[in-house]
């Protein structure tokens, strides 16, 4: 049997990462960009500034049996978020009326907590070691304005959430929610809901029903496994804060440009390489966080039309300060952010005196 031409032969490369060896087989004529794509799927690490994308493996000195060392320092984004120690949830021990404490007379018995929730409007159930939301919560009905179930092990958000017709803020961070376990049919009738926080769960997608929550002003879905946002997010015209950092997004749809009220957007630690031109329509945008992405450029009119923008974080991207200076409107933006930095110094708001350019220098 004749040997296959070298141009079509596969070669084996061993990648050292995290104390393990990951074997990768790739066609010999492939480019560095092709190799990076394989590394991303194998390690969930976004390779940056390592060799030139357009070069072939051979031109870069990679041959059959070559070894690559892939390093990731603490805090560098990987597919499931920054490399950090997992926080341990310590449930609070709440005594009831029979605890025997000398202060029991001043405490409201647990059996009356529904009445307390109704009076205060706040259902506080964070760090209670819960696996489900107690049925008694739904008895609060229109009285509940805030539901805080952070730091539990809750696996489902049932349709009964619709009973809380006056709910304004919903916090279910650091739980065990998945795509299928959230009843969006129960959420959409909540016409007063302004804050929805689902950070640190197991979400991979957000449904089109999200667009029905038209009163939303803040959406927090950081530290999940989201690969994108639904087009219907463009219906959230009152949305002011959008935090989707530490996910797996590689694209942002143009429909987001309809969210004209956005003031702060955090897309840091994803797999984004660009933003749609519709981003330039955010007249109220003040802060944009894009660090730890594959960003190579920005919307061409970002600095010219987003005249409130004063905070831009591009660290650990491929955009350098020299690239930024070529954008129309850069000088005005640069003056705004320097003025903001100086005001922070004047009021001594815990900020370093060293001015941070907001992007890597080279």
């Amino acid at each position: 049997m004749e040997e296959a031409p070298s141009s079509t032969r596969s070669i084996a490369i061993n990648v050292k990462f995290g104390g393990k060896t990951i074997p990768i087989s790739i066609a010999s004529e492939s480019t560095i960009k092709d190799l990076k794509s394989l590394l991303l799927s194998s390690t969930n690490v976004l390779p940056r500034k390592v060799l030139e994308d357009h070069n072939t493996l051979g031109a870069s000195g990679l041959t059959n049996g070559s070894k690559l060392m892939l390093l990731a320092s603490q805090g560098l984004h990987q597919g499931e978020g920054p490399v950090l120690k997992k926080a341990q949830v310590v449930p609070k021990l709440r005594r009831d009326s029979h605890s025997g404490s000398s202060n029991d007379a001043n405490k409201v018995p647990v059996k009356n907590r529904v009445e307390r929730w109704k009076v205060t409007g706040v259902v506080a159930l964070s760090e209670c070691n819960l696996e489900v939301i107690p049925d008694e919560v739904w008895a609060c009905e229109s009285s509940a304005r805030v539901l805080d179930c952070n730091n539990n092990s809750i696996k489902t958000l049932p349709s009964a959430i619709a009973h809380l017709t006056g709910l304004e803020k919903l916090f279910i961070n650091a739980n065990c929610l998945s795509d299928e376990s959230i009843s969006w049919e129960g959420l959409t009738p909540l016409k007063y809901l302004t804050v929805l926080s689902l950070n640190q769960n197991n979400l991979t997608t957000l449904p089109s029903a999200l667009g029905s929550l038209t009163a939303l002003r803040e959406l927090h879905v950081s530290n999940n496994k989201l690969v994108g946002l639904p087009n219907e997010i463009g219906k959230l015209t009152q949305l002011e804060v959008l935090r989707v950092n530490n996910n797996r997004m590689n694209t942002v749809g143009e429909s987001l440009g309809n969210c004209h009220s956005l003031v702060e957007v955090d897309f840091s630690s994803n797999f984004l390489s660009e933003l749609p031109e519709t981003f330039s329509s955010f007249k109220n945008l003040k802060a944009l966080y894009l660090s730890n992405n594959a960003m190579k450029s920005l919307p061409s009119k970002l600095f010219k039309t987003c005249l409130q923008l004063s905070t831009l974080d591009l660290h650990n991207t491929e955009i350098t300060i020299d690239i930024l200076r070529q954008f129309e409107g850069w000088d005005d933006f640069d003056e705004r952010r320097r003025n903001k930095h100086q005001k922070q110094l004047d009021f001594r708001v815990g900020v370093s005196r060293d001015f941070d350019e907001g992007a890597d220098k080279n």
Side-chain angles (χ1 to χ4, degrees):
M1 181 181 294
E2 292 185 6
E3 184 178 2
S6 58
S7 60
T8 59
R9 192 188 313 154
S10 293
I11 63 174
I13 296 176
N14 294 313
V15 178
K16 299 279 188 178
F17 176 65
K20 300 179 180 179
T21 299
I22 304 174
I24 289 181
S25 179
I26 186 171
S28 58
E29 73 275 13
S30 299
T31 64
I32 293 298
K33 185 176 182 180
D34 297 328
L35 177 59
K36 286 182 178 181
S37 297
L38 287 176
L39 288 174
L40 174 58
S41 60
S42 301
T43 65
N44 276 334
V45 170
L46 182 64
R48 297 179 301 100
K49 299 181 180 179
V50 181
L51 306 178
E52 294 295 332
D53 283 354
H54 61 274
N55 286 349
T56 63
L57 301 183
S60 302
L62 295 174
T63 59
N64 192 42
S66 292
K67 295 181 180 180
L68 285 179
M69 181 73 75
L70 187 60
L71 301 177
S73 59
Q74 185 174 11
L76 176 65
H77 173 69
Q78 298 182 32
E80 297 181 357
V83 183
L84 299 173
K85 292 183 178 179
K86 185 176 181 180
Q88 294 184 344
V89 176
V90 180
K92 294 179 179 178
L93 300 178
R94 301 182 178 181
R95 299 169 181 254
D96 59 23
S97 59
H98 303 291
S99 63
S101 168
S102 59
N103 295 324
D104 281 353
N106 298 322
K107 293 186 176 181
V108 180
V110 172
K111 66 179 181 180
N112 290 329
R113 66 178 182 175
V114 174
E115 284 77 9
R116 183 172 71 248
W117 291 341
K118 287 183 177 181
V119 170
T120 64
V122 178
V123 181
L125 291 172
S126 64
E127 300 183 356
C128 288
N129 207 26
L130 299 174
E131 293 188 0
V132 296
I133 299 176
D135 288 339
E136 58 191 314
V137 170
W138 317 131
C140 294
E141 298 182 330
S142 62
S143 299
R145 294 177 293 101
V146 179
L147 174 56
D148 181 358
C149 294
N150 289 341
N151 295 298
N152 284 291
S153 300
I154 295 172
K155 297 180 175 63
T156 59
L157 181 60
S159 58
I161 189 73
H163 293 176
L164 307 183
T165 55
L167 197 65
E168 299 174 10
K169 299 179 180 181
L170 176 58
F171 301 96
I172 313 187
N173 301 314
N175 277 279
C176 304
L177 297 177
S178 61
D179 299 343
E180 299 79 14
S181 67
I182 297 179
S183 173
W184 290 92
E185 293 77 9
L187 285 174
T188 51
L190 304 181
K191 60 181 180 179
Y192 299 111
L193 190 66
T194 59
V195 177
L196 177 59
S197 192
L198 300 170
N199 297 326
Q200 203 173 334
N201 280 282
N202 298 309
L203 306 179
T204 62
T205 60
L206 294 174
S208 58
L210 176 68
S212 299
L213 301 176
T214 53
L216 270 189
R217 295 184 181 275
E218 296 185 21
L219 176 60
H220 305 260
V221 285
S222 303
N223 289 286
N224 281 283
K225 301 175 183 178
L226 297 172
V227 296
L229 297 171
N231 288 331
E232 289 76 9
I233 196 171
K235 297 179 180 180
L236 306 183
T237 55
Q238 297 187 59
L239 193 66
E240 297 177 359
V241 177
L242 176 60
R243 293 178 180 157
V244 200
N245 52 294
N246 297 96
N247 277 281
R248 299 180 177 181
M249 295 199 308
N250 52 31
T251 58
V252 175
E254 292 187 356
S255 63
L256 186 63
N258 295 323
C259 300
H260 299 299
S261 300
L262 278 171
V263 174
E264 177 183 332
V265 176
D266 190 347
F267 285 155
S268 58
S269 297
N270 276 281
F271 299 143
L272 299 173
S273 59
E274 61 181 2
L275 295 176
E277 286 294 329
T278 52
F279 240 73
S280 300
S281 65
F282 299 148
K283 309 297 183 183
N284 300 314
L285 188 65
K286 294 182 178 180
L288 178 58
Y289 302 94
L290 297 169
S291 63
N292 292 312
N293 275 284
M295 299 294 300
K296 297 181 179 179
S297 186
L298 293 170
S300 59
K301 297 182 180 179
L302 182 69
F303 299 125
K304 181 180 179 181
T305 58
C306 297
L307 300 180
Q308 300 295 319
L309 186 64
S310 59
T311 298
L312 177 63
D313 187 356
L314 293 167
H315 290 101
N316 294 322
T317 69
E318 297 187 29
I319 301 177
T320 65
I321 191 67
D322 291 333
I323 293 176
L324 291 174
R325 287 170 179 154
Q326 299 175 24
F327 279 85
E328 185 178 4
W330 164 259
D331 291 338
D332 291 337
F333 164 75
D334 191 37
E335 183 178 356
R336 288 196 302 273
R337 68 196 186 104
R338 288 179 182 275
N339 288 339
K340 178 181 178 181
H341 181 77
Q342 186 58 49
K343 287 180 180 179
Q344 290 175 330
L345 287 177
D346 292 343
F347 286 97
R348 299 179 181 179
V349 184
V351 63
S352 169
R353 288 191 170 275
D354 295 330
F355 183 71
D356 190 339
E357 293 285 0
D360 299 331
K361 294 183 179 180
N362 51 51

